Amino acid sequence: MNGVPTLDFRRYHTDRAAFVAELGAAYREYGFCGLSHHGIPKALIDEAYSVFQAFFALPQEAKLQYVAGPGGTRGLTPFKVETAKGASLPDLKEFWHIGREIPRDSKYAAIMAPNVWPAEVPGFREKGYALYTALGELGARVLSALALHIGLPEHWFDDKIDSGNAILRAIHYPPITSDDIPNVRAGAHEDINLITLLVGASEGGLEVKTRKGEWLPITTEGDAIVVNIGDMLQRLTNHVYPSTTHRVVNPKGEAARRARFSVPYFLHPNPDFLIDVLPSCITPDNPSRYPTPITANDYLWERLREIKLT
């Protein structure tokens, strides 16, 4: 990936110390890294994309049956609703959210709504949730590597994310029919969560803002998944792991007339997890930037209000 490294995730098991050092260095510099040979079968990804594309191809009246409730945490968020923080115009996208399936007598039931599933698309639930599960498992392994890099036990995150309010977002960017439209597909923003795993960065448009303030295009080859740091992990690590600004720009020419699809998985901690700066990430040169801790759920809703999803 142009400037941002892609690492072979198999090395976490065969060359751990070197892999963790390289992964940590990539995140400290870019907040982004590509991971190849991550263990998620291409067939699983392709099947999920197939049902997501089938849903977005439905007539508008069929899709609007599934409009999400407050916060947009389950179901459909229609076209031109989400607006990047500080932006005046909404993004040129619509998306579907799948969340964690939990018992309805769980202590998190009031926070984590049940999923909704489009009856018009056979296999949507099975294939969509299979990808959700696989990305969650990969995300936990990535966090284990990141934990080691900052001196935490390998499995430090495990019991902090086992009931997390993680979200799989299937995004449809419709064709752009006018050359002078002022909106962009996704305005410059940072993610809210701990880490994001993006399946489908093979199409152009994704750009990352470098430390020098330049926009770096990101595309992947083969099976690579892009993983980036979110604001919650930035806060937890006192900016040791930076949450990097990124956007999806409108393509030029005929490419703009084609739809674009992508599927990010936003890995969240458990709703009652207290985001409090890790002592190991506080130094004389990097004093605590966040003296007041906040729960993951309170932080999530604070940010959802900023991007006009509630």
Side-chain angles (χ1 to χ4, degrees):
M1 296 191 306
N2 311 318
V4 176
T6 296
L7 302 180
D8 185 335
F9 199 72
R10 294 174 298 186
R11 293 177 53 224
Y12 182 58
H13 303 288
T14 62
D15 189 19
R16 178 162 298 185
F19 175 83
V20 166
E22 292 172 30
L23 186 73
Y27 283 120
R28 286 172 182 261
E29 177 63 27
Y30 296 105
F32 273 73
C33 187
L35 296 175
S36 65
H37 300 99
H38 41 69
I40 299 179
K42 183 178 184 299
L44 191 160
I45 294 170
D46 290 347
E47 289 171 357
Y49 261 87
S50 177
V51 295
F52 296 150
Q53 290 174 3
F55 172 78
F56 289 118
L58 292 174
Q60 186 72 355
E61 59 269 23
K63 291 191 290 186
L64 292 178
Q65 299 175 81
Y66 302 104
V67 171
T73 57
R74 305 291 187 272
L76 177 72
T77 294
F79 188 59
K80 286 188 177 181
V81 170
E82 182 169 274
T83 305
K85 180 180 177 181
S88 58
L89 297 170
D91 292 344
L92 299 176
K93 67 187 181 193
E94 59 180 340
F95 52 85
W96 182 281
H97 275 171
I98 297 171
R100 186 180 299 277
E101 299 268 65
I102 61 171
R104 297 325 300 169
D105 59 356
S106 164
K107 67 176 180 177
Y108 300 125
I111 294 170
M112 296 163 63
N115 282 304
V116 295
W117 304 105
E120 295 86 348
V121 182
F124 189 103
R125 178 174 187 164
E126 294 75 18
K127 293 176 171 59
Y129 202 73
L131 183 58
Y132 178 98
T133 301
L135 287 168
E137 292 170 351
L138 175 60
R141 296 198 297 274
V142 174
L143 284 176
S144 292
L146 293 177
L148 290 173
H149 183 69
I150 55 174
L152 294 174
E154 179 183 4
H155 297 291
W156 188 87
F157 282 99
D158 287 5
D159 64 353
K160 285 97 177 158
I161 62 172
D162 57 1
S163 297
N165 196 8
I167 293 291
L168 182 74
R169 173 182 285 189
I171 307 175
H172 172 222
Y173 303 95
I176 297 169
T177 56
S178 172
D179 292 330
D180 58 356
I181 190 166
N183 311 61
V184 294
R185 281 181 159 172
H189 66 283
E190 301 82 41
D191 292 343
I192 299 171
N193 39 289
L194 289 172
I195 58 173
T196 301
L197 297 89
L198 175 63
V199 182
S202 56
E203 288 283 338
L206 176 63
E207 296 183 346
V208 174
K209 195 171 188 179
T210 68
R211 291 179 183 269
K212 296 180 181 179
E214 301 166 343
W215 288 103
L216 179 68
I218 301 294
T219 56
T220 60
E221 295 180 358
D223 75 335
I225 287 176
V226 178
V227 184
N228 65 276
I229 305 299
D231 287 352
M232 290 184 180
L233 190 57
Q234 173 178 262
R235 182 170 178 144
L236 183 67
T237 64
N238 205 30
H239 291 231
V240 169
Y241 291 135
S243 177
T244 304
T245 303
H246 52 287
R247 66 186 184 183
V248 179
V249 297
N250 301 345
K252 305 295 185 184
E254 284 306 306
R257 309 297 184 249
R258 296 194 297 267
R260 184 181 189 271
F261 298 89
S262 68
V263 181
Y265 175 91
F266 303 114
L267 195 157
H268 284 257
N270 300 348
D272 51 5
F273 172 68
L274 195 65
I275 306 172
D276 196 5
V277 174
L278 294 165
S280 62
C281 295
I282 300 172
T283 67
D285 293 334
N286 189 27
S288 177
R289 305 165 191 244
Y290 304 100
T292 305
I294 186 171
T295 68
N297 190 60
D298 286 346
Y299 187 75
L300 170 62
W301 281 89
E302 179 181 294
R303 291 293 308 280
L304 289 175
R305 286 189 287 272
E306 291 175 347
I307 59 175
K308 299 180 172 59
L309 286 186
T310 184

Short mmCIF file of all heavy atoms in Angstrom, two decimals, residues 170-199:
data_model
loop_
_atom_site.label_atom_id
_atom_site.label_comp_id
_atom_site.label_asym_id
_atom_site.label_seq_id
_atom_site.Cartn_x
_atom_site.Cartn_y
_atom_site.Cartn_z
N ALA A 170 -21.77 -2.35 6.24
CA ALA A 170 -21.74 -2.56 4.80
C ALA A 170 -22.11 -1.25 4.13
O ALA A 170 -23.23 -0.76 4.30
CB ALA A 170 -22.71 -3.66 4.40
N ILE A 171 -21.17 -0.66 3.37
CA ILE A 171 -21.36 0.67 2.81
C ILE A 171 -21.56 0.60 1.30
O ILE A 171 -20.84 -0.10 0.59
CB ILE A 171 -20.15 1.58 3.09
CG1 ILE A 171 -19.80 1.61 4.57
CG2 ILE A 171 -20.40 3.00 2.58
CD1 ILE A 171 -18.54 2.40 4.90
N HIS A 172 -22.54 1.36 0.82
CA HIS A 172 -22.78 1.53 -0.61
C HIS A 172 -22.61 3.00 -0.95
O HIS A 172 -23.31 3.86 -0.41
CB HIS A 172 -24.21 1.08 -0.95
CG HIS A 172 -24.63 1.38 -2.35
ND1 HIS A 172 -25.88 1.87 -2.65
CD2 HIS A 172 -23.98 1.28 -3.53
CE1 HIS A 172 -25.99 2.04 -3.95
NE2 HIS A 172 -24.85 1.68 -4.52
N TYR A 173 -21.64 3.27 -1.82
CA TYR A 173 -21.48 4.62 -2.38
C TYR A 173 -22.07 4.58 -3.79
O TYR A 173 -21.47 4.02 -4.70
CB TYR A 173 -20.00 5.00 -2.46
CG TYR A 173 -19.23 4.94 -1.15
CD1 TYR A 173 -18.50 3.80 -0.81
CD2 TYR A 173 -19.21 6.02 -0.28
CE1 TYR A 173 -17.78 3.74 0.36
CE2 TYR A 173 -18.49 5.97 0.90
CZ TYR A 173 -17.78 4.82 1.21
OH TYR A 173 -17.05 4.77 2.38
N PRO A 174 -23.25 5.14 -3.99
CA PRO A 174 -23.88 5.06 -5.32
C PRO A 174 -23.07 5.80 -6.38
O PRO A 174 -22.21 6.63 -6.06
CB PRO A 174 -25.24 5.74 -5.10
CG PRO A 174 -25.48 5.68 -3.63
CD PRO A 174 -24.13 5.79 -3.00
N PRO A 175 -23.34 5.51 -7.64
CA PRO A 175 -22.69 6.26 -8.72
C PRO A 175 -22.93 7.76 -8.57
O PRO A 175 -24.00 8.19 -8.11
CB PRO A 175 -23.36 5.72 -9.98
CG PRO A 175 -23.84 4.35 -9.60
CD PRO A 175 -24.23 4.45 -8.17
N ILE A 176 -21.94 8.54 -8.95
CA ILE A 176 -22.03 10.00 -8.89
C ILE A 176 -22.38 10.49 -10.29
O ILE A 176 -21.66 10.21 -11.26
CB ILE A 176 -20.71 10.61 -8.40
CG1 ILE A 176 -20.42 10.14 -6.97
CG2 ILE A 176 -20.75 12.14 -8.46
CD1 ILE A 176 -19.03 10.46 -6.48
N THR A 177 -23.47 11.18 -10.42
CA THR A 177 -23.99 11.52 -11.74
C THR A 177 -23.70 12.96 -12.17
O THR A 177 -24.03 13.36 -13.27
CB THR A 177 -25.52 11.31 -11.77
OG1 THR A 177 -26.12 12.08 -10.71
CG2 THR A 177 -25.85 9.83 -11.55
N SER A 178 -23.07 13.74 -11.28
CA SER A 178 -22.77 15.13 -11.62
C SER A 178 -21.32 15.43 -11.26
O SER A 178 -20.84 15.04 -10.19
CB SER A 178 -23.70 16.08 -10.86
OG SER A 178 -23.31 17.42 -11.03
N ASP A 179 -20.61 16.13 -12.14
CA ASP A 179 -19.20 16.43 -11.89
C ASP A 179 -19.00 17.55 -10.89
O ASP A 179 -17.90 17.74 -10.37
CB ASP A 179 -18.51 16.80 -13.21
CG ASP A 179 -18.41 15.62 -14.15
OD1 ASP A 179 -18.34 14.48 -13.66
OD2 ASP A 179 -18.42 15.83 -15.39
N ASP A 180 -20.04 18.34 -10.64
CA ASP A 180 -19.86 19.52 -9.79
C ASP A 180 -20.53 19.36 -8.42
O ASP A 180 -20.79 20.34 -7.74
CB ASP A 180 -20.39 20.77 -10.49
CG ASP A 180 -21.87 20.64 -10.86
OD1 ASP A 180 -22.45 19.56 -10.64
OD2 ASP A 180 -22.44 21.64 -11.37
N ILE A 181 -20.81 18.12 -8.01
CA ILE A 181 -21.45 17.92 -6.71
C ILE A 181 -20.47 18.31 -5.60
O ILE A 181 -19.29 17.95 -5.65
CB ILE A 181 -21.93 16.46 -6.57
CG1 ILE A 181 -22.81 16.31 -5.33
CG2 ILE A 181 -20.76 15.48 -6.51
CD1 ILE A 181 -23.59 15.00 -5.31
N PRO A 182 -20.91 19.09 -4.59
CA PRO A 182 -19.98 19.55 -3.56
C PRO A 182 -19.69 18.51 -2.48
O PRO A 182 -18.70 18.64 -1.77
CB PRO A 182 -20.70 20.77 -2.97
CG PRO A 182 -22.15 20.48 -3.17
CD PRO A 182 -22.24 19.73 -4.47
N ASN A 183 -20.54 17.52 -2.33
CA ASN A 183 -20.34 16.49 -1.31
C ASN A 183 -19.22 15.53 -1.73
O ASN A 183 -18.92 15.40 -2.92
CB ASN A 183 -21.60 15.65 -1.09
CG ASN A 183 -22.84 16.49 -0.91
OD1 ASN A 183 -23.22 17.25 -1.79
ND2 ASN A 183 -23.51 16.33 0.22
N VAL A 184 -18.64 14.84 -0.75
CA VAL A 184 -17.71 13.75 -1.04
C VAL A 184 -18.31 12.46 -0.49
O VAL A 184 -19.25 12.46 0.31
CB VAL A 184 -16.32 13.99 -0.43
CG1 VAL A 184 -15.64 15.18 -1.09
CG2 VAL A 184 -16.39 14.17 1.08
N ARG A 185 -17.75 11.33 -0.92
CA ARG A 185 -18.29 10.04 -0.49
C ARG A 185 -18.16 9.86 1.01
O ARG A 185 -19.07 9.30 1.65
CB ARG A 185 -17.60 8.92 -1.27
CG ARG A 185 -18.18 8.79 -2.68
CD ARG A 185 -17.58 7.68 -3.50
NE ARG A 185 -18.51 7.31 -4.58
CZ ARG A 185 -18.22 6.49 -5.57
NH1 ARG A 185 -17.02 5.93 -5.65
NH2 ARG A 185 -19.14 6.20 -6.48
N ALA A 186 -17.06 10.28 1.60
CA ALA A 186 -16.93 10.27 3.06
C ALA A 186 -15.97 11.38 3.45
O ALA A 186 -14.79 11.35 3.06
CB ALA A 186 -16.43 8.92 3.58
N GLY A 187 -16.48 12.36 4.19
CA GLY A 187 -15.66 13.49 4.60
C GLY A 187 -14.56 13.08 5.56
O GLY A 187 -14.60 12.02 6.19
N ALA A 188 -13.56 13.93 5.67
CA ALA A 188 -12.41 13.66 6.54
C ALA A 188 -12.88 13.42 7.98
O ALA A 188 -13.64 14.22 8.53
CB ALA A 188 -11.44 14.82 6.47
N HIS A 189 -12.42 12.32 8.56
CA HIS A 189 -12.88 11.95 9.90
C HIS A 189 -11.89 10.98 10.55
O HIS A 189 -10.99 10.48 9.90
CB HIS A 189 -14.26 11.28 9.81
CG HIS A 189 -14.24 9.95 9.11
ND1 HIS A 189 -14.16 9.84 7.73
CD2 HIS A 189 -14.26 8.67 9.56
CE1 HIS A 189 -14.14 8.58 7.37
NE2 HIS A 189 -14.20 7.84 8.47
N GLU A 190 -12.10 10.77 11.84
CA GLU A 190 -11.41 9.70 12.56
C GLU A 190 -12.48 8.74 13.07
O GLU A 190 -13.61 9.13 13.31
CB GLU A 190 -10.59 10.25 13.74
CG GLU A 190 -9.52 11.26 13.35
CD GLU A 190 -10.08 12.67 13.17
OE1 GLU A 190 -10.94 13.09 13.98
OE2 GLU A 190 -9.67 13.32 12.19
N ASP A 191 -12.12 7.47 13.22
CA ASP A 191 -13.08 6.48 13.72
C ASP A 191 -13.21 6.59 15.24
O ASP A 191 -12.30 7.02 15.93
CB ASP A 191 -12.64 5.08 13.32
CG ASP A 191 -12.73 4.85 11.82
OD1 ASP A 191 -13.42 5.65 11.14
OD2 ASP A 191 -12.12 3.88 11.32
N ILE A 192 -14.35 6.16 15.75
CA ILE A 192 -14.66 6.30 17.18
C ILE A 192 -14.04 5.20 18.02
O ILE A 192 -13.60 5.43 19.15
CB ILE A 192 -16.20 6.28 17.38
CG1 ILE A 192 -16.86 7.45 16.61
CG2 ILE A 192 -16.56 6.34 18.85
CD1 ILE A 192 -18.38 7.37 16.58
N ASN A 193 -13.94 4.01 17.53
CA ASN A 193 -13.76 2.77 18.27
C ASN A 193 -12.30 2.49 18.62
O ASN A 193 -11.45 3.38 18.56
CB ASN A 193 -14.32 1.64 17.40
CG ASN A 193 -13.98 1.88 15.93
OD1 ASN A 193 -14.54 2.78 15.29
ND2 ASN A 193 -13.05 1.11 15.41
N LEU A 194 -11.98 1.23 19.00
CA LEU A 194 -10.60 0.84 19.30
C LEU A 194 -9.79 0.68 18.02
O LEU A 194 -8.78 1.36 17.81
CB LEU A 194 -10.58 -0.46 20.10
CG LEU A 194 -11.06 -0.40 21.55
CD1 LEU A 194 -11.17 -1.80 22.14
CD2 LEU A 194 -10.12 0.46 22.40
N ILE A 195 -10.22 -0.26 17.17
CA ILE A 195 -9.60 -0.43 15.86
C ILE A 195 -10.70 -0.71 14.84
O ILE A 195 -11.79 -1.16 15.20
CB ILE A 195 -8.55 -1.58 15.82
CG1 ILE A 195 -9.17 -2.92 16.23
CG2 ILE A 195 -7.34 -1.24 16.67
CD1 ILE A 195 -8.24 -4.12 16.06
N THR A 196 -10.39 -0.42 13.58
CA THR A 196 -11.30 -0.70 12.46
C THR A 196 -10.60 -1.65 11.50
O THR A 196 -9.43 -1.45 11.16
CB THR A 196 -11.67 0.59 11.71
OG1 THR A 196 -12.29 1.50 12.62
CG2 THR A 196 -12.62 0.31 10.56
N LEU A 197 -11.32 -2.68 11.08
CA LEU A 197 -10.81 -3.61 10.08
C LEU A 197 -11.63 -3.42 8.81
O LEU A 197 -12.85 -3.60 8.82
CB LEU A 197 -10.92 -5.06 10.57
CG LEU A 197 -10.10 -5.41 11.82
CD1 LEU A 197 -10.91 -5.14 13.10
CD2 LEU A 197 -9.67 -6.87 11.79
N LEU A 198 -10.96 -3.03 7.72
CA LEU A 198 -11.65 -2.68 6.48
C LEU A 198 -11.45 -3.76 5.43
O LEU A 198 -10.34 -4.02 4.99
CB LEU A 198 -11.14 -1.35 5.95
CG LEU A 198 -11.70 -0.90 4.59
CD1 LEU A 198 -13.21 -0.69 4.66
CD2 LEU A 198 -11.00 0.37 4.12
N VAL A 199 -12.56 -4.36 5.03
CA VAL A 199 -12.55 -5.35 3.96
C VAL A 199 -13.05 -4.66 2.70
O VAL A 199 -14.21 -4.28 2.62
CB VAL A 199 -13.48 -6.54 4.29
CG1 VAL A 199 -13.41 -7.58 3.18
CG2 VAL A 199 -13.11 -7.16 5.62
#
